[in-house]
Every structure is written in C-alpha cells, then in structure tokens.
Amino acid sequence: MKKAKFQKPTGMHDIIFGDQRYFRSIINIAENIFNYYGFSRIDTPLLEDEDLFLKGVGEATDISEKEMYTLKTKGGDRLALRPEGTASVVRSYIEQGMANRPQPVKLYYVGPFFRYERPQAGRYRQFWQFGLESLGDASPVIDAQVINVLYAILMDLKLKNISIEINSIGDKECRNSYKKMLVKYLKSKSSSLCSDCKRRTKDNPLRFFDCKDPKCQAVKAEAPKIIDNLCEDCHAHFKQTLEYLDELELPYQINPCLVRGLDYYTKTVFEFFVTTKEEKSLALGGGGRYDYLVKLLGGKETPAIGAAFGIERIMQAMKDINLVDGFKPKDRVFLAQIGSLAKSKSLVLMESLRKAKIPVVESLGKDSLKIQMAKASRIGSKFIIIIGQKEAIENLAIIKNMETGRQETVPLDQVVAKIKKG
Ligand code: AMP
C-alpha cells in the first residue's frame, strides 16, 4: 500500500469499524452501572491550567516531569492537555461550589487523555479512560463501593480472570514517619539501587516500589512496608474496607508494594488486573483515596476517592478471550434489491423499518443479487427482504427466512408487520 501523505501522530490511533463496537459497548455498560449506583456524568475541558496538574498530580512524578502536552495560548496562558481525570474533577468541585450539595458528590467521566509516553504495545499518547470520583465522605464503605462499581462493570463486560490488588499508603501522620524509615533503609542499600531509585530516594521515595529494574527487586522484598506501619486510624480504615470487600466476595489480594504513581493518594489504593491467555497480567485500571487533594487545590478539607480504567486495555482484554461474537450486532435484516425502481422502494421501506426499530443492512449501491446475498450470509441475517424488478412494479417484497428456508411474497406495506411477527 502506498504510504499516505499524512499519518496520525506518533502513539495515537484511530478507533474504527469492529473496534468501535467494543468501544461503544464498553462505554454503554460502564455508563449503565455508574447511573445505577447514582454517579452522574461530568465533562470537563480537555485543556486546563498547567499548574492544576503540576500541583495535583505532584511535580516529582513521571506525568509532570516528562509526559505533559503543554502549550502557551496567544493570550499567554500556560495550558496542558489533561493527563488524567481527577485533578479536573476536583477543580470543578471547588469552582462550582459542589461542597454545598449533599455529600458525597458522585461523578463519572469518559473521554480521551494525553501523556507523552514512549509508545509501546497497549501504551498510547492519546488514550481513553472512564473513571469515577466520590467526594465528601471519609468512610471505608465508600472505598468498597467504588471498587465494587468497577468490578460490576468488568463482570457486565463478561471479562474473566480479574484480580484486584489493594494496599493502604496511610495518611500524613503515618506516611511521614514511614517515609523517614524507608529513606534510611534505601540509603543503607544505595549501592544496590538503580540510578532512578537513587534519585527517587530524595524526591519521592515511595515510587521506589514501582521500579521494575531487576537490580532493585531484592531490595524491595526486604524493604519495610507501609502496611506494617499504619497509624491506628488508617489501620482501622483499611481493615473495615477489606471486611466490606469480603462481604461482597470480591477477588482481592493485599499487595504491600502497591503505591500508585501519583502524589495525591492517601489510605486505600488499588489496581485491577486481568490475566491474559499468555498468563500475563494486564493492568486495566486503578485508583485510591485522595483526602488532601481538594484542600491542596484550594478547597476545604474534603475526603474523596476515585479510580480510572483504560478503555483500550479493556478492549485488548476482551479480544484476548474472544468476546467478539457477543458484541456483534444481531438480528439485522438484510435488504436486497434489483433495479432502480427497487432501489427507490428500498429507500422508503428502510424508513418504515427504522421507525419500527428494526435494524437493517443494505447494499443499495450494488446491482448483483449474488453479491448482495453473499453479504447477507456473511452478516448472518435471519431475514432477507428482496425487492426484484417485478416486485418493485407490483409493490411487493419477498421475505426469506434463512433459518427455515421458507419464503413468501407480501405487499410492501406489510413487510414491517411480518418481520416483527418473526
Ligand atoms: P493511571 O491513571 O496511570 O492509573 O492509569 C489508569 C489506567 O489507564 C491504566 O491501568 C491503563 O489501563 C490506562 N492507561 C494509562 N496510561 C495509558 C496509556 N498511555 N495508554 C493506554 N492506556 C493507558
């Protein structure tokens, strides 16, 4: 194929044809569950003040250090394409005075996000996420509900082999004293650490647990863990959250090394994984509590929790276990025609079928009945409506039932009723 003059930007992709079926189904199913649990949709601008993300996500994170798409407007404002959803939702919560509404305020979003990452399989520079945020309630039952809502979405999507990893990274009290303990430990192991982790020891020591470098794995296994150093309040919160998850029979396991990349998390953090056919673990999404973020961004102290899932990752997981057929539109009637009078009758008949909510596929541009029938059989339509030249003149149509092989000729104005009868 000749190379097109214009290509999509590196790390970005088109969502077309069959993939759109998955894409729409995932969003539909997620929105149905969000609505059921009382979350309402929020759409925020794709661009926000760059500082909102620097402050919200934290300056010493991959996102702030190297992954943001930023621009200066003609008016001199510095804006950034949103790399994640929570900071924007919190900005809106504060700016729109949502603290005056009954708490918690439960919101969800769906849309594209942008990170200037190194492109690789399953990692894009523009990718889609859906996410939810519950702001204004500190109780652990909210943590359990958020995790349950996400699990319900994956179950409605018919995904299998889902696991949930969960941890608590404490609050200001216990995390600060734990950080000191961790830094002391990391300094004592400095000669065994990769260069990134040497830097992290100073800037953001908890990120050491995200390191994939083989060099650091032994140090990680021996490191003191925050979960063993929680204050009483954080310990009780975590224990209660796990008890609710037990009641719901959700498949979770505690991962003491799970810290998540962003600065704003407190207490509960979690991630969802799916095991692929190749026995690989694929991260679908994650989230956690962020009890200090609203205050940090200029609002009143407001406990909150949220999470986000990657839609492309979910699509990948669905393809992996061949959920293709379940997401093909079914029961579509095929409308075949021969000759220009039949084409014009078909156009009118299609309007009646649409008003009766009967899904139709046509090949109006084709003249050969053979080609049209081949397409009908590819789609697997139960009914084929054929308007030949003779039928067109007499205002008739042939309805062929592909399951029984029976066919009958009926007046055009009775086609809808016959198809509805089945
Ligand atoms: P995060 O906000 O980094 O926790 O990401 C939440 C989820 O979004 C991840 O588990 C992925 O499923 C998805 N995700 C994050 N970054 C990307 C990316 N660059 N490309 C595709 N999906 C992504």
Side-chain angles (χ1 to χ4, degrees):
M1 214 160 68
K2 204 173 145 226
K3 204 168 165 193
K5 185 171 175 195
F6 293 109
Q7 267 116 49
K8 51 196 166 11
T10 305
M12 302 200 178
H13 66 129
D14 300 319
I15 305 169
I16 51 176
F17 303 124
D19 279 353
Q20 274 292 342
R21 264 202 311 265
Y22 287 107
F23 187 72
R24 292 276 141 220
S25 310
I26 294 167
I27 293 173
N28 271 342
I29 286 175
E31 290 205 285
N32 282 340
I33 294 276
F34 286 142
N35 287 324
Y36 182 84
Y37 287 96
F39 288 79
S40 40
R41 180 164 169 145
I42 176 168
D43 287 285
T44 59
L46 298 192
L47 287 161
E48 297 272 0
D49 189 328
E50 181 185 359
D51 279 344
L52 173 72
F53 299 118
L54 290 178
K55 224 172 165 176
V57 172
E59 309 222 3
T61 58
D62 283 352
I63 289 184
S64 296
E65 281 176 354
K66 50 186 187 226
E67 293 175 0
M68 275 222 279
Y69 282 90
T70 52
L71 61 94
K72 197 164 158 197
T73 65
K74 291 194 176 77
D77 296 331
R78 285 200 63 87
L79 302 181
L81 277 169
R82 59 184 190 182
E84 60 99 51
T86 303
S88 310
V89 172
V90 170
R91 193 265 309 136
S92 177
Y93 178 90
I94 300 167
E95 190 178 352
Q96 308 295 341
M98 292 187 210
N100 299 325
R101 291 172 165 262
Q103 307 290 298
V105 174
K106 294 157 84 178
L107 301 166
Y108 78 87
Y109 57 83
V110 180
F113 291 85
F114 305 84
R115 293 183 195 171
Y116 192 79
E117 302 204 63
R118 197 164 59 80
Q120 48 185 300
R123 207 161 265 286
Y124 301 101
R125 287 181 174 173
Q126 177 177 334
F127 57 97
W128 284 71
Q129 283 187 338
F130 62 76
L132 78 174
E133 314 288 347
S134 179
L135 301 113
D137 195 318
S139 44
V141 71
I142 306 291
D143 304 31
Q145 187 182 52
V146 163
I147 295 172
N148 187 43
V149 166
L150 294 167
Y151 188 69
I153 293 172
L154 299 182
M155 288 305 101
D156 268 16
L157 285 166
K158 312 232 175 328
L159 280 168
K160 297 197 170 56
N161 303 320
I162 299 296
S163 58
I164 305 166
E165 293 191 359
I166 187 165
N167 193 20
S168 172
I169 55 168
D171 62 9
K172 263 188 211 143
E173 303 299 314
C174 47
R175 189 143 33 127
N176 279 341
S177 51
Y178 166 75
K179 261 191 191 167
K180 284 188 194 126
M181 189 192 299
L182 179 65
V183 168
K184 201 166 153 205
Y185 169 79
L186 292 177
K187 280 187 175 157
S188 75
K189 302 283 175 189
S190 178
S191 56
S192 318
L193 293 177
C194 72
S195 54
D196 272 350
C197 283
K198 277 185 191 142
R199 188 173 50 85
R200 284 177 189 142
T201 305
K202 277 196 261 100
D203 300 345
N204 195 348
L206 278 180
R207 287 292 317 280
F208 154 74
F209 286 104
D210 282 337
C211 183
K212 303 273 183 300
D213 194 314
K215 218 177 152 184
C216 298
Q217 302 313 305
V219 188
K220 204 190 275 186
E222 298 287 310
K225 307 290 183 319
I226 177 115
I227 195 164
D228 303 318
N229 293 281
L230 295 175
C231 61
E232 217 172 289
D233 178 39
C234 289
H235 179 80
H237 185 100
F238 192 48
K239 187 162 167 275
Q240 183 68 69
T241 303
L242 298 185
E243 278 169 20
Y244 290 130
L245 297 181
D246 287 333
E247 283 298 319
L248 288 162
E249 296 182 11
L250 297 191
Y252 73 84
Q253 63 222 38
I254 297 170
N255 175 357
C257 292
L258 181 70
V259 290
R260 310 256 318 137
L262 313 183
D263 268 7
Y264 54 58
Y265 289 113
T266 44
K267 293 187 175 166
T268 315
V269 289
F270 54 87
E271 249 171 62
F272 279 70
F273 294 91
V274 66
T275 310
T276 64
K277 270 198 306 233
E278 295 82 31
E279 299 290 313
K280 279 204 195 118
S281 197
L282 181 71
L284 297 178
R289 264 206 171 269
Y290 50 90
D291 290 348
Y292 306 131
L293 185 62
V294 179
K295 183 145 187 232
L296 182 76
L297 295 179
K300 284 199 301 226
E301 197 165 307
T302 309
I305 181 166
F309 271 40
I311 296 183
E312 286 88 351
R313 294 284 173 86
I314 296 179
M315 281 164 70
Q316 198 182 330
M318 289 169 76
K319 286 182 186 171
D320 187 66
I321 55 165
N322 286 326
L323 280 172
V324 187
D325 283 347
F327 285 83
K328 270 193 182 153
K330 288 196 194 85
D331 304 328
R332 291 186 300 175
V333 169
F334 193 86
L335 181 53
Q337 41 62 42
I338 311 157
S340 62
L341 184 59
K343 285 189 205 302
S344 117
K345 303 269 168 171
S346 296
L347 282 174
V348 177
L349 177 60
M350 232 179 127
E351 291 312 289
S352 312
L353 290 163
R354 178 178 58 78
K355 284 173 193 154
K357 299 200 171 16
I358 299 170
V360 184
V361 182
E362 44 70 25
S363 267
L364 284 170
K366 296 274 180 290
D367 295 321
S368 147
L369 187 61
K370 204 169 142 205
I371 291 174
Q372 296 183 67
M373 295 305 265
K375 181 168 177 188
S377 104
R378 235 185 4 257
I379 291 165
S381 300
K382 180 177 169 193
F383 290 109
I384 303 182
I385 304 169
I386 305 163
I387 309 179
Q389 277 160 334
K390 181 166 165 287
E391 287 79 22
I393 293 165
E394 295 174 8
N395 269 325
L396 297 171
I398 299 164
I399 301 179
K400 187 163 179 172
N401 182 325
M402 299 304 281
E403 282 172 7
T404 61
R406 262 193 27 229
Q407 70 175 54
E408 60 179 321
T409 304
V410 300
L412 270 176
D413 59 7
Q414 285 174 30
V415 170
V416 168
K418 286 273 175 199
I419 302 259
K420 272 194 153 169
K421 246 171 93 185

